[in-house]
Amino acid sequence: MPTITSETLPNGLPLHRVALEGTRAVTILVAFDAGARTERPEENGMAHFLEHLVFKGGEKYDHYKKVNETAERMGGSLNAYTSHDLVAFHITVRAEAAMEAIDLLTDFVGRPRLDADELDRERGVVIQEIQRYKDQPSAVAEELIDKAAFGDHPLGRTVLGPEEHLRSFSREAIVAFRERRWAGERGGAFIVGNIDHVPADGAVAELFGRFPTLPAPERFEPTPVLRRDVLVERRDTNQSHLRLMYRPDVDVSDPADRAAMSIYSTLLGGSMGSRLFDEIREQRGLCYSVWAVDHALADASILQLGAGLESSKTPEAYARMREIVAELHRDGPTEEEVERARAYSAGRRVLAFENTNAVARYAAGQAIVFGEDIDPDRAISALDAVTFDEVATIARAVDPEAAAVACVGPHDEAEF
């Protein structure tokens, strides 16, 4: 059972300490409700670009080499991520280095220099990242399915943004975005793992006080009704990358519904015993990779199916994937596959939570995206408690006719 304490600092930033037994590591993570869905149209790509820029240095560690070398001297793993919902920065170190790690992270993230010269250099780096993704058909398929499902809505745009935006961003615009979105009230700081070397005398609060006090930002644009568009990027390849997206009628604000949705997606295509894997791969031999995954956004539940397969087999696989969703909608799952998927989902969560970074990322989503309890044990208990009837209800909530479709390969839209 973890020991969890929480407080709100004078700058509005919630600070959570999650003490986990049996680990020598500690993860420090700070995150904000400042992901890609909070960008204005002309800002698309700015949240991710800002994530890159803060690593160039703060006040004390005022150069990227000082940031990187300090992390290495601690034996730390330092990284960040930007999603549609969040931007987050995290470092995992041995417990004895906790305070030094907090000092480093709060310096360059809480008071970044955002040097104009570094900004110009980093543009090229991020543009190369965008170009790399364009060379990866599977990544292009991910971008296409978001656009097919949500069109011009922020959720339909890429997190990386278009190249022309990266070339146009000014330092002033980036600072303005940070001041508009990185408010403590819509963020959180998390210290997770072995916190024996983290004092309770106010030193930690002082370091996290480096983040400025900012007004609460406006709410993001709500998730729209799912479009049913079909988008194909034709490429003369032997393998195709297929994606389908549904928006189930699920109350994402209910933790029990989210847990049931997770188990549904697992029995559909989240394990080697799932329906998609067993039939599409094992029985029919149509592909090497086929899967289903659920995404819990702040205000919507999303179900995505995907496959990477020989192009000539794409029509058959596509038809059968849609039929399997329809069969679950019509007939429901079996009690045996629900029981197996529930055990698998809970077991995977237990194994994931052996990693302090995974617990910290989970806590950030719980606190900032959903405004809920961050206890990892409750996440496991929620999966264990899901009933057959709850999963059957989820299956009925997935409209088999309401799907967006995307594919990269030698196909035409009419094939879908």
Side-chain angles (χ1 to χ4, degrees), residues 12 14 31-34 86 181 183-188 216-217 219-220 367-369:
F32 296 96
D33 170 22
L86 293 176
R181 296 304 319 180
E185 184 177 325
R186 292 295 305 143
R219 294 291 291 176
F220 48 75
I368 302 171
V369 177

Side-chain angles (χ1 to χ4, degrees), residues 211-233:
F211 288 89
T213 302
L214 299 171
E218 60 191 15
R219 294 291 291 176
F220 48 75
E221 187 177 344
T223 300
V225 174
L226 187 88
R227 301 164 66 101
R228 304 185 187 186
D229 293 353
V230 176
L231 295 179
V232 174
E233 180 165 312

Side-chain angles (χ1 to χ4, degrees), residues 49-95:
F49 190 35
L50 176 57
E51 174 212 308
H52 275 243
L53 292 174
V54 302
F55 279 86
K56 299 304 178 180
E59 291 184 12
K60 179 176 179 180
Y61 305 94
D62 59 359
H63 191 272
Y64 71 86
K65 289 192 70 174
K66 292 182 181 179
V67 172
N68 296 338
E69 291 173 358
T70 300
E72 289 178 4
R73 279 195 295 271
M74 288 185 276
S77 175
L78 176 64
N79 215 327
Y81 61 91
T82 303
S83 66
H84 276 99
D85 276 326
L86 293 176
V87 61
F89 304 85
H90 51 92
I91 183 170
T92 300
V93 296
R94 60 192 301 174

